Amino acid sequence: MPAERRTDDLGCENGGMATAEEFTPESERVMNTLRDEIIDGTRAPGSKLVEREIAAELGVSRLPVRDALRSLVSEGLVTPRPRTWAVVREFSQSDVSDLNEVRSALETLAFRLAAERRTRAGLAKLRADLDEQQAASERGDGGAARRKAADFHQTVTELADNALLSELDGILQSRLRWLLGQHDDLDVFAHEHEELYLAIEARDVQRVDELAAQHLATSRAKIAAHRRNAAGAE
Amino acid sequence: MPAERRTDDLGCENGGMATAEEFTPESERVMNTLRDEIIDGTRAPGSKLVEREIAAELGVSRLPVRDALRSLVSEGLVTPRPRTWAVVREFSQSDVSDLNEVRSALETLAFRLAAERRTRAGLAKLRADLDEQQAASERGDGGAARRKAADFHQTVTELADNALLSELDGILQSRLRWLLGQHDDLDVFAHEHEELYLAIEARDVQRVDELAAQHLATSRAKIAAHRRNAAGAE
DNA sequence: GCCGAATATTTGGTATCCCAAGTGTTAGGG
DNA sequence: CCCTAACACTTGGGATACCAAATATTCGGC
């Protein structure tokens, strides 16, 4: 059954991979701003998100802010409280393990499919992401390294050639970046990504599964450590 | 200063029955209406979804419709086209296989976790869902049977005790109900659910995995059949 | 110090207006 | 007769203003 794999990107308002021509609604800009502020900690978990305030800050009206807030809610970064202001989501321990369980299933699938369906062009893109990540990692640019690591994962889901998987993984990824915080284990992640890349290139599904499991474990440990830090600092 | 026309003298000309007991935003009502109309085929794939029209039809303003449409987009039932009207999503063959792949990973996880973490109370709820499904199935009430089957799946994700998984599965489930159409293999699904229930009750993870895989296969076949029908009828 | 009423806030919704960009139609040139 | 360019229309995105209802907060009484 030759599924006519069109690269018809299903639209979704998650910023990033929508690749709309040039048109970016104001609401999307607001959403990205807000997301960044949440992820980098400018807006702490539990803090109020008042439509009018945000609208005033960003110089737009309430509507784009409402839209952005709703999108962020469906992304799981914001908790809505009907009739009252929304708040930046606070992740409980069980939220974290929930995320880990789901992510485990989805990322394992992504890596496996990527190994099976990788193309030459896709592989090149993956290699490029990895090179940039490693370069950033070596020169100690944590921000860039983390960003490129995220790109690596994004590209893996593209290799998997499953739009739905990409979409879901994107949502999970934004929560993840947040939960991971500004970690500094740059080289560990770079190394694991390198091995993953090799296994995908070799189409070694078995090894990809193993490496994915280990990568997940590393990530889980890092999240736990970050949360302990955050709890301790408080 | 434009002559501000006070249009507040009209109380509530539409509806009238303002049952204000529980909090359900208008936008949610609109979303549910629209979703039902999409799933049951009232609104065909590809048909236009014009905000102003829908607003007029349902007797609400454009905003709740906009909100609903956005939610439906993130649910994957609607395709937005920047600057133009949105359309009811058309699923390509690759969309279907994408969905099946992801669903496979997620539902397998859900069934497994449900088997591991089932509680007495949860099991009772699952049994109740199943009884109702079987009753509806036997008296030939397809609509009720399908609805109860969906409840069964919902309850399974609740047993799995993973809110994120529930959320994701819910989204997938709505696409699925749509793709499955008004199938009439009531007894097959009822039977498979029965076996799944038994395995979950017995905490037999191994068997749950097997049954889940088979259930997925049945579902895939049904979707394929439905799509062939739809394609043929056209 | 604790509880309850008055007050302040804030969202969800409605009603208009406006604009830019895409759509559909029509008229004109080859 | 067909192709294309101009035009009017449609549509979503945004802004502003206002209202109702529910929730927070504050302040006063006990």
Side-chain angles (χ1 to χ4, degrees), chain B residues 66-218:
Chain B
R66 270 181 68 169
D67 288 344
L69 248 20
R70 277 173 175 278
S71 299
L72 257 11
V73 165
S74 68
E75 241 179 76
L77 261 39
V78 168
T79 305
R81 279 128 46 100
R83 301 291 186 177
T84 320
W85 56 71
V87 297
V88 177
R89 177 160 177 183
E90 298 177 276
F91 274 82
S92 70
Q93 192 55 48
S94 70
D95 286 330
V96 174
S97 50
D98 285 359
L99 178 62
N100 278 327
E101 284 170 0
V102 172
R103 187 163 82 97
S104 191
L106 252 28
E107 286 193 8
T108 300
L109 176 63
F111 279 119
R112 183 177 314 167
L113 290 181
E116 290 172 0
R117 320 225 253 237
R118 49 142 261 198
T119 59
R120 268 226 166 327
L123 217 47
K125 187 164 186 297
L126 194 60
R127 183 70 253 179
D129 284 341
L130 186 48
D131 286 340
E132 290 184 74
Q133 183 192 343
Q134 289 172 337
S137 178
E138 283 185 27
R139 71 171 185 274
D141 185 347
R146 284 189 292 273
R147 209 153 350 145
K148 287 303 167 186
D151 286 351
F152 180 87
H153 276 270
Q154 169 70 28
T155 302
V156 167
T157 66
E158 282 168 22
L159 289 210
D161 193 30
N162 182 321
L164 178 59
L165 184 55
S166 280
E167 185 188 331
L168 259 30
D169 205 71
I171 295 173
L172 264 42
Q173 211 65 34
S174 75
R175 302 192 193 189
L176 205 61
R177 271 199 299 151
W178 183 24
L179 253 22
L180 269 172
Q182 322 282 9
H183 71 87
D184 48 358
D185 281 79
L186 274 23
D187 47 334
V188 178
F189 282 92
H191 177 67
E192 291 191 351
H193 279 187
E194 176 69 41
E195 293 212 77
L196 245 0
Y197 170 82
L198 259 20
I200 290 171
E201 185 181 41
R203 292 195 205 265
D204 187 341
V205 176
Q206 182 77 34
R207 178 136 180 80
V208 163
D209 277 357
E210 293 170 17
L211 290 172
Q214 195 194 322
H215 190 49
L216 256 349
T218 306

Side-chain angles (χ1 to χ4, degrees), chain A residues 51-136:
Chain A
E51 288 180 6
R52 284 181 171 87
E53 279 178 17
I54 298 169
E57 283 171 28
L58 303 186
V60 294
S61 72
R62 281 175 62 199
L63 267 73
V65 177
R66 270 182 66 167
D67 288 345
L69 247 20
R70 279 170 180 276
S71 298
L72 256 12
V73 165
S74 69
E75 239 179 79
L77 260 41
V78 168
T79 305
R81 279 132 39 104
R83 304 289 189 173
T84 317
W85 56 71
V87 296
V88 177
R89 176 160 177 182
E90 299 178 275
F91 273 82
S92 68
Q93 193 53 50
S94 71
D95 286 329
V96 174
S97 51
D98 285 0
L99 177 62
N100 278 327
E101 284 170 1
V102 172
R103 186 164 83 96
S104 189
L106 252 28
E107 284 193 11
T108 301
L109 176 62
F111 278 120
R112 182 178 314 168
L113 290 181
E116 290 171 0
R117 320 224 250 240
R118 52 144 259 194
T119 60
R120 263 216 169 340
L123 218 46
K125 187 164 187 296
L126 194 61
R127 183 71 253 178
D129 284 339
L130 188 48
D131 285 341
E132 292 186 73
Q133 183 192 341
Q134 289 172 337

